[in-house]
Amino acid sequence: MTHDLFAELPPEPTCESLMEGAVVLRQFALAETDQLLAGIRQVTAQAPLRQMKTPGGHTMSVAMSCCGEQGWVTDSRGYRYQPEDPVSDQPWPAMPEALYRFAGRAADAAGFPGFEPDSCLINCYRPGAKMGLHQDRDEQDFSQPIVSVSLGLPVVFQFGGLKRNERPIKVPLAHGDVVVWGGPARLRYHGVLTLKAGEHPLTGACRYNLTFRRAR
Ligand code: MD3
Ligand code: FE
């Protein structure tokens, strides 16, 4: 009989480079998912998740909220960052300290020291929700990276080129995975395939994605 020496050990965080500028930190958030989920609950109690409308009038399948000095919004007037939640007309909830510190540590680990996010977008995918291929270009300084954290149900992420017509590669993202996108990866097209039905012990029928950004 062979003994599996690793069977009882917790899974190890790993670091891999997807493409130049895109660093995948598998399970980097695993030890801190409770604090991150507590942060999400705190923020969404003040600024509830909502399905916004695109400038073209379509309702997004992903429900969103934000915290920090700037929040990302979309409506008939366009895509932008603004300091107030349009639902309450109040400032967005402050970014919980645990979230802010976590984003800095992830950016450090990926080779982007000194990251000071002023915005955290909370995306909530329920089964059937997806996000089409797009670029993130509403931020002022594309030399600043974006830190993304996946929590809950797994999904297939699509990572394309600098032009929409470039065929994207598929990357599975699971609970606790962190990806840092900077340098030449910052303006690549990306999206998320339709979330499949499922139940996660910590999030239920939901995938959360946090994206930490420097908007201004
Ligand atoms: C690659 N969110 O909120 S996170 C978004 O899973 C967004 O909710 C997806 O795309 C999600 O804008 C993907 C990963 C991500 C975020 C920003 C990027 C990948 C990126 C910016 C440039 C290149
Ligand atoms: Fe994006």
Side-chain angles (χ1 to χ4, degrees):
M1 151 174 182
T2 52
H3 291 272
D4 185 350
L5 289 171
F6 301 103
E8 286 132 64
L9 295 175
E12 282 291 308
T14 61
C15 179
E16 70 196 79
S17 176
L18 211 55
M19 274 184 197
E20 205 188 335
V23 181
V24 188
L25 305 165
R26 294 268 178 219
Q27 305 179 349
F28 189 83
L30 217 47
E32 274 177 80
T33 54
D34 286 356
Q35 291 98 299
L36 296 173
L37 288 167
I40 292 173
R41 275 190 289 274
Q42 189 189 315
V43 169
T44 57
Q46 281 177 260
L49 292 161
R50 79 291 306 262
Q51 287 174 262
M52 292 185 282
K53 278 195 176 168
T54 66
H58 298 283
T59 300
M60 297 186 77
S61 59
V62 181
M64 298 176 165
S65 182
C66 294
C67 60
E69 283 137 62
Q70 301 289 331
W72 185 83
V73 299
T74 172
D75 59 19
S76 59
R77 290 153 55 210
Y79 303 120
R80 64 191 175 278
Y81 285 91
Q82 62 176 49
E84 310 85 21
D85 176 352
V87 170
S88 66
D89 276 325
Q90 296 298 307
W92 293 103
M95 197 184 307
E97 196 77 10
L99 271 62
Y100 180 83
R101 292 224 185 91
F102 178 84
R105 271 185 281 120
D108 269 346
F112 297 94
F115 182 49
E116 295 182 346
D118 60 4
S119 180
C120 174
L121 174 65
I122 301 170
N123 292 335
C124 171
Y125 295 75
R126 302 274 174 196
K130 61 181 167 26
M131 195 179 283
L133 274 187
H134 66 278
Q135 290 174 300
D136 286 20
R137 47 184 320 145
D138 301 321
E139 302 76 23
Q140 244 159 38
D141 179 2
F142 300 142
S143 75
Q144 294 283 329
I146 293 178
V147 171
S148 92
V149 185
S150 295
L151 296 167
L153 290 177
V155 81
V156 177
F157 175 75
Q158 290 193 294
F159 194 39
L162 295 175
K163 296 209 163 113
R164 189 187 288 280
N165 61 10
E166 216 176 299
R167 183 197 292 270
I169 61 164
K170 289 180 164 66
V171 183
L173 291 178
H175 180 67
D177 289 348
V178 173
V179 191
V180 183
W181 318 87
R186 179 64 180 74
L187 287 174
R188 281 183 182 268
Y189 277 88
H190 57 278
V192 171
L193 297 186
T194 305
L195 192 80
K196 296 207 169 118
E199 283 285 328
H200 188 278
L202 296 180
T203 66
C206 173
R207 170 185 183 254
Y208 289 109
N209 181 264
L210 302 176
T211 48
F212 295 92
R213 302 138 186 273
R214 184 81 205 180
R216 296 283 159 88

